[in-house]
Amino acid sequence: MKKTSITGRLEGIAAAVSLALAALPLAASTFTIGTNNFLLDGQPFLIKAGEMHPSRVPHEYWADRLKMIHAMGLNTVSIYIFWNAHEPREGEFNFTGDADIAQFVRLAQKEGLWVILRPGPYCCAEWEFGGYPWWLLKEHDLKVRSQDPRFLAAAETYMKKLGEQLAPLQITHGGPIIMVQVENEYGSYGADHVYMGKIRDLDRAAGFDVPFFTADGGGNMMAGGHLDDVLPGLNGGGKNTMKEVGKYRPNGPWFVPEFYPGWLDHWGEPHAKVGLGGLARETEWKLTNNVSFCYYMIYGGTSFGFMNGA
């Protein structure tokens, strides 16, 4: 009886300590863009990330998939956030269950992973309407992905709601979010830098205060999508990374937001394959040349219902 009593008391003390620690505010770290490196608490940091989309994975499996990502040796998870998954009807927001994006970020932190946000509002990602909600099309003359005031007003509402969920989880507040992407591959679509600046400003107004970056292909695509005060990222970047990014930021840091270990399939066509040998060599080159990267995708998941698209 005495032994059981002591054991019970120890368990009670341990539980109390655990609750007390959980209630303590998380210590804020710093993540900044240095002259030629990313800096985590002032020390050079190489981003080794993998992309996973919470909307493509039932929330019951999130922790398991994050554990596997970490077990690979990666230190960061990158996520698209699909507007139409969170505002399926105008003015009606959902951040519960499979749409509980804040819980996903908390699970990533628990697993020891940093987080990169890619909130769009346009994502592409082989997802319905690129992540835009269908109801934007009710006004037939509204122009998405433009300076149309009606589009920007809707995007602003969405971004503010997203900020309420995620801004408190940035590294500046003790959370794991270290960077936020502005728009997505806009240079493949247009070259309206005023529009891009407005999307950047929506991100800031939503409370995101970590470093921002863009993601584009090289050449004219990066020229159309870059912003002077935002880090340019080169999708698919290989040994041309320094040359392409160097046009806008001569000393880096170098970042490849989408490094492809696989490729998308189309119905009725052969399954797309990427050679493992080349992938391993390219990964080694990035690691030895201080090039941060994100495998796109590290886990593909499923496009449920009718959410596959373009």
Side-chain angles (χ1 to χ4, degrees), residues 62 79 81 85-87 92-106 109 115 117 119 157-170 173 175-177 205-208:
W62 286 350
I79 56 174
I81 303 172
H86 298 287
E87 193 181 5
E92 297 181 19
F93 287 90
N94 178 26
F95 292 103
T96 62
D98 291 348
D100 191 349
I101 192 68
Q103 175 63 5
F104 180 92
V105 173
R106 287 191 290 265
Q109 183 172 30
V115 177
L117 295 185
T157 300
Y158 156 68
M159 201 63 70
K160 284 183 175 178
K161 290 290 185 180
L162 197 60
E164 291 173 5
Q165 296 289 318
L166 298 178
L169 294 172
Q170 296 173 100
H173 303 271
I177 297 169
F208 294 115

Side-chain angles (χ1 to χ4, degrees), residues 236-265:
K239 293 180 174 61
N240 63 331
T241 300
M242 288 77 164
K243 177 183 177 181
E244 292 291 344
V245 176
K247 297 173 185 176
Y248 309 96
R249 193 176 176 92
N251 298 313
W254 321 114
F255 180 40
V256 179
E258 296 186 10
F259 171 28
Y260 306 114
W263 196 244
L264 57 91
D265 284 343

